[in-house]
Amino acid sequence: MTARRLAAFLALPVCLIASPALAAPGGLLAHQTTLELNEASSAWILTSTALVLLMTLPGLALFYGGMVRKKNVIAAIAHSTAALAIVTVLWFAVGYSLSFGVGPEPVNGFIGGLQAAFLDGVMPTTAHSLSPGLPEFLWVAYQLTFAIITPALIAGAFAERIKFSASILFFFLWHLLVYVPICHQVWGGGWLGSWGVLDFAGGAVVHVNAGVAGLVAALVLGPRHGFGRDNMAPHNLAFTAIGTGLLFVGWLGFNAGSAWAADSIAAVAALNTILAAAAAAIGWTAVEWIDHKRPTLLGLLSGIVAGLVGITPAAGLVDPKGAFFIGILSGPACYAGAVWLKRALKYDDSLDAFGVHGVGGIVGALLTGVFASAAINPVGEGADIVKQALGLLAVIVWSGVGTFVILMICKFTVGLRVTKEEEIEGLDYTQHGETIHQ
């Protein structure tokens, strides 16, 4: 069977399902509108797409690569790289359509349809109804970068002990069964967004979602060999510092790009992002200084990321005073999650995926309900901390249960963990046959 015939065979079931919906009235799919090109906004979102892609590779890859031990650097970077490759192909095939397409009622509240599978019906003249000024191809690309980084964040929780084959299967299933439904429910016309849950740039969809998944993965896999006894300090904080810088710069595209236009909301989102990151770095370092009697570079870097996470759901909804308070509270809260909670419960979240992204996302999402301002963004008028809390609960349950099921599938098919001997030798060599020299 030729490659072309194989691709056609694999695509047939999806195309058969999607085909009735392609003949929508007026030649447009249910989620589409005719493009009314805004060149300035399109230029900004093109730039933002590149910035957010930079966050995963090399940003997150270096951030995580510096935090693991030397024998696992390549494996950590491979996780980010694999997530990028797998999610991109899945997004093209069905992920975009299921996230931002329109499904039949009552299913549409939870998942979109397959009308745009393999980007059928997406044309240079179409736009998504959420962003009529942007070419739909650009909308697809920008939203793809969010889908890529989310599972890559989870890898920080199971670093240094998972089989690479298990991580591949996990990324594949998690994108389809967890990320895509939650993305649709919050951003794509599903029940959470329609109900009034606010998530400007991904506090729930990206960070709480990934953080909870990371916590479940850490609990299911169990601690690394020697956890609590051996020295597991980061092998290269210079890598982590460079990765943090790339994440910080990329986050401007993540948050300010989520205005979907080059406007005043994008401007305040950019300022809020920088301010919250700085405030959180101060907050984290202050608590760390009291707790450990000295400040660390890793603490400053972790505080910056904590602030970036905390402000994400609120970036274009709050004024700078609100951003400051979100940042100054996110730093200590994430320190408590990454240090005190992990110490108390004795679970091994290797690189603090839950402590930073889960806790920071929860804090930021809740405070969005407190600080959102209609004077900054009219959407903020509907802010409600009770709705935010219930929305978070829905995301936590879906992510937690879905992640556990996926991990069980991985466990009973390809297996989850490397052997004790392979873990001691290091995943770089045992999983990839490569080593890093420096």
Side-chain angles (χ1 to χ4, degrees):
M1 183 179 287
T2 66
R4 181 176 296 178
R5 288 179 178 175
L6 177 60
F9 175 77
L10 294 174
L12 181 60
V14 173
C15 291
L16 287 175
I17 295 172
S19 58
L22 293 177
L28 294 173
L29 302 180
H31 70 271
Q32 290 177 329
T33 186
T34 301
L35 175 65
E36 301 172 3
L37 182 64
N38 184 313
E39 294 184 352
S41 294
S42 296
W44 168 232
I45 302 305
L46 277 168
T47 303
S48 295
T49 300
L51 289 171
V52 182
L53 188 62
L54 184 78
M55 291 174 66
T56 301
L57 196 68
L60 187 66
L62 286 174
F63 182 78
Y64 279 170
M67 291 177 68
V68 296
R69 289 167 288 179
K70 183 179 177 181
K71 60 185 179 181
N72 296 312
V73 178
I74 289 171
I77 294 174
H79 284 148
S80 293
T81 308
L84 185 152
I86 293 165
V87 171
T88 297
V89 173
L90 287 175
W91 192 251
F92 156 71
V94 295
Y96 170 70
S97 187
L98 290 171
S99 295
F100 289 98
V102 177
E105 295 296 344
V107 177
N108 184 60
F110 297 91
I111 192 74
L114 287 168
Q115 302 97 321
F118 298 95
L119 301 188
D120 282 342
V122 178
M123 303 294 290
T125 55
T126 63
H128 196 284
S129 58
L130 293 172
S131 55
L134 304 179
E136 190 172 4
F137 284 124
L138 177 55
W139 177 257
V140 172
Y142 181 63
Q143 294 297 337
L144 165 62
T145 60
F146 287 73
I148 287 169
I149 197 170
T150 309
L153 292 171
I154 303 169
F158 54 56
E160 301 199 299
R161 61 198 186 278
I162 195 169
K163 287 183 175 180
F164 188 66
S165 57
S167 67
I168 293 294
L169 181 57
F170 178 85
F171 290 151
F172 182 94
L173 294 174
W174 197 86
H175 174 74
L176 294 176
L177 301 180
V178 179
Y179 181 83
V180 162
I182 289 178
C183 178
H184 178 79
Q185 289 166 36
V186 178
W187 286 341
W191 74 279
L192 287 173
S194 300
W195 189 50
V197 174
L198 300 179
D199 188 2
F200 186 78
V205 175
V206 176
H207 297 292
V208 174
N209 196 4
V212 170
L215 177 61
V216 173
L219 293 172
V220 170
L221 268 76
R224 290 166 287 177
H225 178 72
F227 177 70
R229 185 191 69 231
D230 296 346
N231 180 12
M232 296 184 175
H235 96 284
N236 191 328
L237 283 178
F239 279 7
T240 301
I242 295 169
T244 302
L246 291 168
L247 285 169
F248 200 158
V249 172
W251 227 293
L252 296 175
F254 200 86
N255 285 356
S258 291
W260 309 336
D263 59 12
S264 60
I265 295 176
V268 74
L271 175 59
N272 286 343
T273 300
I274 299 169
L275 178 59
I282 292 171
W284 180 300
T285 301
V287 175
E288 181 186 50
W289 208 331
I290 295 169
D291 190 31
H292 279 291
K293 311 306 178 190
R294 66 180 67 182
T296 66
L297 173 60
L298 181 60
L300 281 166
L301 300 175
S302 299
I304 286 172
V305 176
L308 294 169
V309 172
I311 195 58
T312 291
L317 298 168
V318 302
D319 62 23
K321 292 186 292 295
F324 169 78
F325 283 114
I326 290 173
I328 205 72
L329 294 172
S330 294
C334 290
Y335 180 88
V339 179
W340 294 337
L341 183 64
K342 190 164 67 171
R343 182 191 301 157
L345 300 182
K346 296 182 170 58
Y347 64 88
D348 185 12
D349 177 0
S350 307
L351 309 179
D352 299 318
F354 176 74
V356 173
H357 297 278
V359 173
I362 290 170
V363 170
L366 290 174
L367 292 179
T368 299
V370 176
F371 292 111
S373 168
I376 295 296
N377 188 329
V379 175
E381 185 176 356
D384 185 333
I385 192 170
V386 175
K387 285 185 178 181
Q388 293 298 103
L390 292 175
L392 283 173
L393 180 61
V395 170
I396 289 168
V397 171
W398 190 294
S399 180
V401 174
T403 299
F404 180 79
V405 170
I406 292 167
L407 289 168
M408 291 301 101
I409 293 172
C410 294
K411 180 178 180 179
F412 293 109
T413 53
V414 298
L416 280 174
R417 287 191 66 146
V418 298
T419 65
K420 177 180 176 180
E421 292 73 21
E422 289 173 328
E423 186 178 334
I424 291 172
E425 187 171 357
L427 273 60
D428 287 0
Y429 184 75
T430 61
Q431 296 295 292
H432 303 284
E434 299 169 304
T435 58
I436 187 167
H437 300 284
Q438 56 176 333

